Amino acid sequence: MTKHLLALCIISTLAACSEKPEDVKEVVQRETLAEPQEPAPLWLEEVEGEKALQTVNNWNAKTLSKLTSDERFSELQNEALEIVNATDKVAYGNMQGDYVYNFWQGENSKRGILRRTSLESYQTASPNWETVLDIDALNEKEDKNWVYKGSTCLEPEYIRCLVSLSNGGKDAVEIREFDRDQKAFVKNGFFIPEAKSDVSWIDINTITVGTDWGDNSLTESGYPSVSKVLERGSALSDAKTIFSGEITDVAAGASLFEIDDETDILIGYQYSSFYDSEFFWLKGSEQIKLPIPSKATPAGVFKGQMLVDLKQDWKINEDLTLPLGALVSFDMKKWLEDQSVQNAQIVYQPTERATLSGSSIAKSKVIVTALENVVGKVYAMDFVDGKWQKEQLSIPGTGTLSVSSVSDSSDTIFVNQNTFIKPNQQLIVDVVENTSKVIKSAPERFDSSDLVVDQKMAESTDGTMIPYFIIHHKDIPLDGTSPTLLYAYGGFEVSLTPSYSGTRGKLWLENGGVYVLANIRGGGEFGPKWHQAGLKTKRQTIYDDMISVAQDLIDTKVTSTQRLGIMGGSNGGLLMGVMYTQRPDLFNAVVCQVPLLDMLRYHKLLAGASWVGEYGSPEIPEERAFLETISPLHNVNEEGEYPTIFFVTSTKDDRVHPGHARKMAYLLEQYGHSFEYYENIDGGHAAGADLNETAKRIALEYTFLMQKLMD
């Protein structure tokens, strides 16, 4: 990682994505009384305010009493616990240096252990694991509440690492230097106090750091705007500034970028919005801007070619325009010499019903993952005689494919394969020989023998056909009686693809439920245009797509309003809130996880300002006027008739503020509308800091759905 640009390492944490605090530092204003135009009191935004927590505890108690007293809850929780704590789970590994590393959580490893083994041992049925870092033991030793948030390691050995530890699951982390061979934190090593920091290695004695330096060094979104170089043995206060952005940016920073074996350069990056950025070669005191468009991201250098992921057209000259959605390249060494990009060319260009999922660099190939009509493909690309060559990797079967391990020092990669009803597999692939074999297979967690998967289409209001997957038992009666759960996200160019979920299969499908996954616009299933169709004031398009899928399920008599429930988290939680207020007649149950719901104040809460590029700004009159039409908090009607909604959030979520769910629940309580509420103290944006809590949350959600859709 340290030899490639790390700009997206921080940007990837900014999205209001799901699966997906003591002393939380808030951006929120500390009003104690609501202003006249506010539909709910702002003291609910005080994360650990006494009055707010008392209100939350009261809501929690009522919901827990209602759901846990249902005889199905205990059974569902036990089934979920058995699955999440199973000892025969696949220990998915990541090759780093001479080892394969795995982070493992189980019944006896609540917060998890980082462990490693050899590649040879990893391919056996019972690898010989060596524990490197035990988070539970660390918590006991330090009397802390640490959640492991990953490591940034010095290549190519991957022994010295900057380990991120989160207090209870927050995005904000404490960073400590760790030696994997010594299995210990480095005495007097690099240390960064808790913040939403961005770090990368330059060499064994030098790192770049973006953190909370004080003096307005954070952006309005709460992320670093100043990057400095820190030498070993120096105090953090003595670090030297190398790049700065603006407080109005989403984030800014700098990291090392390898051009070839002899050439490394520092690149500064500045994200003015979630989707707009500029990159700069930090050449001494000069800052030379990379020539790529604002909606594009460098993706590494291979054989001297700078790879660039395009989210907009790039006009090179009058005769050459490279299209949005493509992976392209240009000669980086030539650009360093004379800033010329006239030799830029396409590496991979998706078709209309396809999208580039990602790219990574192995020793001898560029690995490209793509979705083609929501089916995964993996290609090995090579640059030969000035041209790009493409070869599809031979991976048997179909489904979602993701590259889980790749290194520029090896031609061996790991690929994970997912489907809805077939357990996950991991394959080891030689990208030069184009051979693959399955080395890990997950056990079945539910009976899928009677299940089928179909892909169908629903016509949206503008005539666009919206695909959705439906998983159901064979020969279900098309009489509207099937309890159906519809899941969607619709934002941030996130693609929803087939995946195997033991808890979903065991707790829902085995009990006769139907599951539907909708690929609505706003996601990335069909490239940047699919996403951009729902940006800002065009966002109603996303909601119309969701309504169209729900209506299609009813029209085809798969289900009915009384048997149809919906679920979504974060940005998907906003989707749930909009469905609740715009089309309450279509649904009988709504599960709204870690949601955005106050769209007129979202930009003032925690990381909210970073999402203005997605939603629009309440400070711009035209965009505010549109946001007023969709904001769930501002569109719920006291006289309206609504389905029961279940809010699930976390006190320690320092990305999407728990105040969104709190204020909506407060308003519904004032209006006398039915709702359920569960706010977990730990968990961060994932709403669960450990597997036991995750199992409890899942059991609560499915108990609620059964009460509303099956009774």
Side-chain angles (χ1 to χ4, degrees), residues 605-625:
L605 304 178
L606 299 175
S610 65
W611 309 321
V612 167
E614 177 80 12
Y615 300 124
S617 172
E619 306 300 328
I620 297 174
E622 177 188 359
E623 294 177 357
R624 181 184 181 89

Side-chain angles (χ1 to χ4, degrees), residues 527-542:
K529 289 182 179 179
W530 195 253
H531 166 239
Q532 293 167 12
L535 279 178
K536 296 187 177 182
T537 57
K538 297 182 288 186
R539 203 160 197 83
Q540 186 60 44
T541 297
I542 295 169

